Every structure is written in structure tokens, then in C-alpha cells.
Amino acid sequence: MAGNIQIISPQMIKEQYDYMSKVRQINSERTLYATVKTYGCQQNEADSERIAGMLKEMGYNITADESRADIIVINTCAVREHAELKALSITGQFKHLKSKKPGLLIGIGGCMVSQEHRKEDIKNKYPYVDFLFGTSMLYKLPEIIYKKIKTKKRQFHLDDSDGNIAEGLPVERFSDFKAWVSIMYGCNNFCTYCIVPYVRGRERSRKPDDILNEIRGLIKDGYREITLLGQNVNSYGKDLGMDIDFSDLLQMICDIEGDFTVRFMTSHPKDATFKLIDTIAANPKIAKQFHLPLQSGSDRILKLMNRHYTFESYKALADYMKKKIPEIAITTDIIVGFPGETEEDFACTLNALEQIEYDNIYSFIYSKRKGTPAAVMEDPTTQEEKAKRFQRLLDTQNTISNRKNQEYLGKIISVLVEGRSKTDDGKLTGRNEKNRLVHFSGDDCLIGKNVKVKIIKADTFSLMGEYIEK
Ligand code: 5AD
Ligand code: SF4
């Protein structure tokens, strides 16, 4: 395997547990609270659950109310400038909390601060931030917090390794029925627009036994939905030297007894295999949903992005999926306005949406990331033109989504109930196997359960239904 991947031994994890108990000792006199603020992707959500797990072990009560907090940890994202600005702005807002409560500790971690220039920004422009830890320093959080408390000195912890795998850290899961399980970390693909390989290190897979044991425990605890996480899950196992690939891992997970659904993200189209599609088709436990980021429908742009596939090869995969699993919901990520994207290139992307007929797309206007190859490419298209293309992309997809949602009218579908909607008159909300959002009236006792709902109204973004009693 390329790079300088650090091995974190059980002894090193034990040391961190020792730091956790030292901090707990210091904290034992008072009731203390901690808030974890998360920006970005599911991988960050999963990391935050570990951050919260460690904070809890250190004696802090986890609260969403930052005004009560004695320690705030901000877990940042770097994938687009907007995400960075949001994290910096919230960090700025915490300054006044600290002036009211001088003992408050403020820490910042994750992808944004894993960039050297951002570390310097925090050091110089945010003097009230007490500690900073890069993505590969997450397991050392207890030590970092302990040192801050003991020495009163600001702590800045970034290393130049290519990442690590730390097993056995405590986890405070934010849901009682949906769980994230990272199966691998990092990325080797270096798509030219993307900062992730620079801030999350090289690809490294967790051992199958560690993953299976974690999932067995979750199923025993009543979790209904397991989402496997990795920047490119299709590379799973390549570094293990064990003759196991992602399809094999999925099969082993499906062989665990119990009533649960498995999802996974994200797949790189260059590594997605027909074998994987066959595995999904053959296993009722795997959700019939596939997130396959296309990024652009233009082969010229795909090449500039260093994506290693063409629209034709992508479409062959999608067609095979639709043939083998007719009910499959395919979703994607699209970047609009990559440097040098012409009107003709963009037309290929719109055409791709029509041809694949995605159930949903996640679309982004290209954001220049310092240090990536695309950041120095010629980019003559104005932001205004990019915004117009973005709107055209949304309009095209909205028509397709609406058309696909209408197909649900009158049908009875199974929905995992997630909670109450914040907007839709407080109705219950949930998702079906294809991740479609469904709203309906019902009792709180249905939250966390799989229920049957009849669809009575469909619009572009969601379905409205009626709960069907057994
Ligand atoms: N600008 C815009 N979108 C980006 N993504 C990654 N990097 C950038 C960038 N620099 C998008 C890709 C990826 C998703 C997680 O974020 O579409 O699949
Ligand atoms: Fe970024 Fe490409 Fe890796 Fe995804 S596969 S994390 S887009 S470099």
C-alpha cells in the first residue's frame, strides 16, 4: 500500500482511555456539558459520534445547546468553500460565549483544519480556540484535552502521516435505529477538484472481523439500518492482502441474522463491478438504492477531473443495474462549472440526467480548493453563467423527480420512521428503501419502526401518505 499509514496499537488506545479517566477525575466535582457541531458528510457524522463518545467518557454530558456547554468541539468540512466559511463563521460566533464563560473550552477538528493554511488561520486569527486536531489525530482527543486543561497552553495537533485506523474508541450514537459504520478511510483517487485525499489520507480498510463484530453488536442493540461508509467503498479490501472485496464483505454482513437493512456510500464508477450489482440483487437486506457519482456527463470534463471512466461505461453499469434490479433507485453527485466546462459539455450532463433518470441528484457549483490540480486550470466561465447552468440542472432534475414520484401514487410502501418533520405540520417523516422522503400522520410510538404507508400525494421532493394499520 502506498503512503505512510500509522498503526494504532491497542496499547495506544489504552493510553487514550487513561487520559479519558484522568479528565473524568478532574471533572468529577461538577456537572459539565459538551456540544459537538458537525459540518459535512456522513463520515464526519460518524467521527462526531466518536468525539461525543470520548467526551462522554471524560465526564461531559452531551447537549445540543451550546449556551450550556463547558466544551464545544467543531468538526469541520473542506469539500467546498461554503462549508469552510460556515465553520469559520460559527467559530467566530463562539467568541462571545467564551467572553461570558471564560472557562469554556473551544476545539476544532476535521477536514478544514487538516490543511496547513487553515491551521495557521486558526492559530493567528482565532486566539480563543483552545485546541485543534486533524482527522488523523481524532483518537488523541483525550490527550489533547488533558494537556490543554493541565498546561493551559493552546494545543495544535496535525501530523504528516497518511492516516491511521483506530479501533475500540467509545461511540455515542446519535440515533437509536440508524447507524454509520466506517469500513474504510481515506482516498487514493485524486480527482482533480477534490481536497479529500489531502485531508483524509490514503485508502485503508478496516479488518472484516472488526466490521462484522461492530455490526453484530448494533443489530443486537436493535439498530434497523446500517450504512457502510467509505470515500470509495468499491476499493474495500485492496490493501488487506486477504482476498476479500466489497461484494464479499456485503455478503458476510447480509449473513448476520436479524431484521435490518444495509446501505453503503460512496461508490466510484471506475471500481463498481457487475459482481457488486449481482450481490445487491441477490440480497433482500441490501437497500435497492445505489449512489453513483457521475460528476459530469462530458467525457472531456471527466478526463480533466481524472475520473477514469466515460459516460458510456457509466451508462453500461446503470443499465445493468436497472436490468438486474428493476426497482433500483439511482442517485448521483454532479459538479457544475468545472474549469473549462463549455455549454456543450454542460449539455452532455443534462443529457445524462435524461438518460439515466436519477431518482435524486446532489449538485454543486465547482468550488476552487487550494492545492488541488483543478485550482490552477483555466476557468473562463463567469460565476453568473455557472449559476444559470446550475438552475437549469435543477429544473431538469426536478421534472424527472416529479415524474418518478408520481409513479408512487396509490401504492403501499414500507417506511422506516425517522421522527417528526420540522416543516410539514409536525407530521411523521421517514424514508422508504429507496431513500424517498415520506410524510404522514401518526403516533410517536412509530418512530424507529418499519411501517406500511399508502401514498396519496406526490410532489417533486417528497411523498405524502396515510399510515396503514396492520
Ligand atoms: N467543488 C464542488 N463540488 C465538489 N465535490 C467535491 N469536491 C468539490 C469541489 N471542489 C462534490 C463531488 C463529490 C461530493 C461529495 O462533493 O460531487 O462527489
Ligand atoms: Fe474526492 Fe474523488 Fe476521492 Fe471522491 S473519489 S473523495 S471525489 S478524490
Side-chain angles (χ1 to χ4, degrees):
M1 179 182 14
N4 152 30
I5 309 285
Q6 243 203 323
I7 309 289
I8 307 297
S9 64
Q11 176 57 31
M12 290 159 85
I13 296 292
K14 192 187 157 290
E15 278 167 23
Q16 294 306 315
Y17 273 91
D18 292 344
Y19 282 113
M20 287 185 240
S21 65
K22 282 189 200 164
V23 177
R24 193 167 59 235
Q25 204 102 45
I26 299 170
N27 286 344
S28 63
E29 308 275 284
R30 298 186 296 144
T31 308
L32 294 173
Y33 292 90
T35 297
V36 184
K37 283 261 164 205
T38 311
Y39 295 92
C41 65
Q42 287 81 1
Q43 186 61 60
N44 258 19
E45 296 276 342
D47 285 349
S48 285
E49 291 185 342
R50 288 196 154 66
I51 294 171
M54 291 187 269
L55 289 168
K56 204 171 165 193
E57 196 70 26
M58 286 182 253
Y60 295 99
N61 296 287
I62 307 299
T63 173
D65 176 5
E66 59 242 16
S67 68
R68 283 172 77 189
D70 299 283
I71 183 167
I72 299 176
V73 179
I74 307 153
N75 191 7
T76 62
C77 170
V79 82
R80 281 171 292 276
E81 189 186 18
H82 182 65
E84 293 198 320
L85 296 180
K86 264 193 344 207
L88 289 172
S89 139
I90 195 92
T91 311
Q93 287 169 34
F94 291 149
K95 184 179 176 184
H96 86 274
L97 278 184
K98 185 132 177 171
S99 60
K100 283 197 281 183
K101 195 190 223 180
L104 171 67
L105 291 178
I106 298 178
I108 188 160
C111 293
M112 180 180 81
V113 296
S114 298
Q115 305 167 97
E116 199 55 45
H117 69 280
R118 287 297 188 197
K119 183 185 101 181
E120 289 306 311
D121 281 350
I122 298 290
K123 223 179 206 170
N124 301 325
K125 300 184 197 150
Y126 297 78
Y128 48 90
V129 171
D130 297 289
F131 60 92
L132 177 149
F133 56 105
T135 53
S136 57
M137 291 286 106
L138 183 132
Y139 78 101
K140 275 199 175 178
L141 190 60
E143 180 176 344
I144 294 169
I145 291 175
Y146 176 77
K147 284 188 173 154
K148 168 65 205 172
I149 294 173
K150 271 291 180 198
T151 67
K152 309 259 184 306
K153 286 201 181 108
R154 298 174 84 199
Q155 301 288 317
F156 289 85
H157 293 253
L158 274 192
D159 70 356
D160 54 8
S161 81
D162 286 326
N164 54 47
I165 296 182
E167 295 289 350
L169 294 174
V171 195
E172 170 72 2
R173 297 199 187 262
F174 297 145
S175 161
D176 294 331
F177 49 92
K178 286 169 71 159
W180 312 117
V181 175
S182 298
I183 61 165
M184 58 191 301
Y185 306 95
C187 183
N188 286 356
N189 292 312
F190 291 94
C191 300
T192 52
Y193 50 81
C194 188
I195 196 72
V196 169
Y198 305 88
V199 293
R200 284 203 173 265
R202 297 290 68 71
E203 259 171 30
R204 50 215 189 265
S205 307
R206 288 177 71 200
K207 294 203 181 75
D209 275 351
D210 289 330
I211 298 169
L212 292 169
N213 284 338
E214 181 174 345
I215 296 177
R216 280 189 201 104
L218 289 166
I219 306 299
K220 222 168 78 206
D221 289 344
Y223 281 86
R224 291 301 178 117
E225 188 174 290
I226 307 291
T227 303
L228 309 176
L229 299 179
Q231 306 300 339
N232 175 16
V233 292
N234 297 308
S235 304
Y236 177 79
K238 285 185 183 161
D239 55 320
L240 288 173
M242 280 177 75
D243 194 23
I244 178 170
D245 67 11
F246 180 54
S247 308
D248 302 330
L249 178 74
L250 265 180
Q251 187 58 57
M252 288 153 107
I253 293 169
C254 290
D255 290 342
I256 298 175
E257 247 175 68
D259 175 18
F260 63 95
T261 304
V262 188
R263 299 181 186 277
F264 57 86
M265 62 195 315
T266 290
S267 284
H268 194 306
K270 80 176 163 58
D271 301 310
T273 60
F274 289 87
K275 176 181 171 190
L276 171 61
I277 296 167
D278 293 342
T279 307
I280 300 169
N283 277 293
K285 282 179 183 160
I286 306 177
K288 300 301 176 267
Q289 189 224 336
F290 205 115
H291 185 64
L292 195 61
L294 172 67
Q295 312 299 1
S296 167
S298 153
D299 289 347
R300 193 182 76 83
I301 295 294
L302 287 173
K303 200 159 189 173
L304 288 172
M305 288 176 162
N306 193 32
R307 292 287 287 176
H308 294 283
Y309 55 84
T310 59
F311 178 61
E312 195 188 337
S313 65
Y314 180 101
K315 187 166 181 302
L317 264 177
D319 286 346
Y320 185 74
M321 251 187 257
K322 289 179 188 166
K323 191 173 108 209
K324 283 292 261 193
I325 318 165
E327 73 274 29
I328 193 91
I330 306 178
T331 57
T332 203
D333 291 344
I334 300 284
I335 296 178
V336 173
F338 182 82
E341 181 191 74
T342 61
E343 183 54 36
E344 208 181 345
D345 293 316
F346 179 64
C348 295
T349 301
L350 291 183
N351 177 48
L353 298 197
E354 295 289 358
Q355 290 209 35
I356 307 286
E357 286 205 286
Y358 292 106
D359 283 72
N360 202 356
I361 65 168
Y362 301 86
S363 42
F364 315 98
I365 293 182
Y366 168 74
S367 168
K368 193 191 247 194
R369 304 287 67 211
K370 197 172 173 175
T372 61
V376 291
M377 291 180 189
E378 286 287 315
D379 191 3
T381 311
T382 61
Q383 282 304 318
E384 200 187 351
E385 180 54 35
K386 290 185 185 190
K388 278 191 198 149
R389 284 184 195 163
F390 186 69
Q391 193 51 51
R392 284 161 64 200
L393 186 88
L394 294 186
D395 291 344
T396 304
Q397 181 55 35
N398 286 348
T399 309
I400 297 169
S401 299
N402 195 301
R403 192 165 71 222
K404 295 194 80 128
N405 270 354
Q406 298 306 323
E407 292 167 12
Y408 280 100
L409 274 178
K411 294 206 170 122
I412 294 175
I413 59 173
S414 182
V415 175
L416 176 60
V417 190
E418 294 183 347
R420 292 228 169 252
S421 160
K422 289 195 188 81
T423 49
D424 202 2
D425 296 339
K427 284 199 162 53
L428 288 176
T429 83
R431 288 179 187 271
N432 75 343
E433 192 189 344
K434 293 185 177 191
N435 232 0
R436 272 265 171 284
L437 198 57
V438 184
H439 299 292
F440 62 101
S441 300
D443 217 73
D444 270 354
C445 67
L446 300 178
I447 295 171
K449 297 210 170 98
N450 262 315
V451 300
K452 296 270 184 262
V453 175
K454 181 173 179 184
I455 302 305
I456 53 170
K457 187 166 170 269
D459 65 26
T460 307
F461 303 107
S462 65
L463 302 169
M464 198 71 76
E466 272 171 358
Y467 168 58
I468 312 266
E469 312 258 352
K470 287 234 170 87

